[in-house]
Amino acid sequence: MDSVLFGRVIDAPLDEPGARQAQLLAQRLAPGLGRPIIEASPRLRTQQTAAAIAARLNWVQGDWEVGRREELDEIDFGTWSARTFLDLDSDPAWRGWNADRENAATPAGETNADAQRRVMDCLQALAREHSSRTIVVVTHSEIIRSLVLFVLGASPNRYDRLTIDPA
């Protein structure tokens, strides 16, 4: 999984290490969650991670539903999706995007600012809708990194200073 940019094109399930990470995350989060709202990106891998959290909370299947929010989806990498990182390293547009994430767009036209805006709008709406509940949001590493930089007031060009591992 680590050698290919999945993006929105490859909707693969969690592999064995990913499933193990999801279980460990669920084990770590569950004790303090109570009865949260769980929202996830529409990608299968995030839905499975969210389901692992719900299962760890001992919710009975059918008694819970993981929300599916399109706004939490991965950055739209367009034609870069499904390519290997080795292949992408030779693409001048990929190198340009990584050199200037503040201004450059992916081939599909989404910028970091676009992604930040859609996810922040979603988070604010969730906070309004569920102001007295704990909300668990399951999304993608690039989205999380982008949000952390936004909250810190840092440029998207500082992305390489943050490591956001899966789960």
Side-chain angles (χ1 to χ4, degrees):
M1 286 182 109
D2 293 338
S3 64
V4 175
L5 179 63
F6 282 22
R8 295 179 179 184
V9 171
I10 299 176
D11 198 14
L14 292 172
D15 60 8
E16 186 179 324
R20 202 169 36 255
Q21 289 171 341
Q23 292 299 323
L24 290 171
L25 175 66
Q27 180 180 349
R28 186 170 186 179
L29 287 179
L33 288 179
R35 189 121 173 110
I37 302 296
I38 303 176
E39 298 286 346
S41 149
R43 299 294 127 216
L44 181 56
R45 55 198 184 269
T46 56
Q47 290 289 314
Q48 289 175 321
T49 301
I53 295 167
R56 185 67 186 197
L57 294 168
N58 295 319
W59 290 0
V60 177
Q61 184 74 23
D63 184 36
W64 56 271
E65 181 179 334
V66 171
R68 182 183 166 105
R69 297 278 179 147
E70 298 294 326
E71 307 94 284
L72 297 174
D73 207 347
E74 178 66 275
I75 291 174
D76 188 347
F77 289 106
T79 59
W80 291 337
S81 294
R83 289 176 59 188
T84 67
F85 289 106
L86 184 62
D87 180 40
L88 286 167
D89 283 340
S90 65
D91 185 329
W94 172 258
R95 290 194 312 270
W97 183 71
N98 283 303
D100 188 13
R101 288 191 179 192
E102 191 158 357
N103 299 300
T106 66
E110 188 168 44
T111 64
N112 270 314
D114 294 334
Q116 286 173 340
R117 194 173 308 106
R118 74 175 153 82
V119 177
M120 286 302 294
D121 288 349
C122 177
L123 295 179
Q124 290 169 344
L126 285 169
R128 283 190 304 274
E129 292 168 24
H130 308 289
S131 62
S132 63
R133 302 275 305 271
T134 298
I135 304 167
V136 175
V137 174
V138 183
T139 187
H140 305 272
S141 296
E142 284 300 321
I143 294 295
I144 296 167
R145 182 184 349 225
S146 181
L147 290 175
V148 169
L149 290 169
F150 176 79
V151 169
L152 293 174
S155 165
N157 291 339
R158 298 181 70 142
Y159 78 95
D160 59 346
R161 296 187 183 180
L162 289 177
T163 300
I164 306 293
D165 292 323

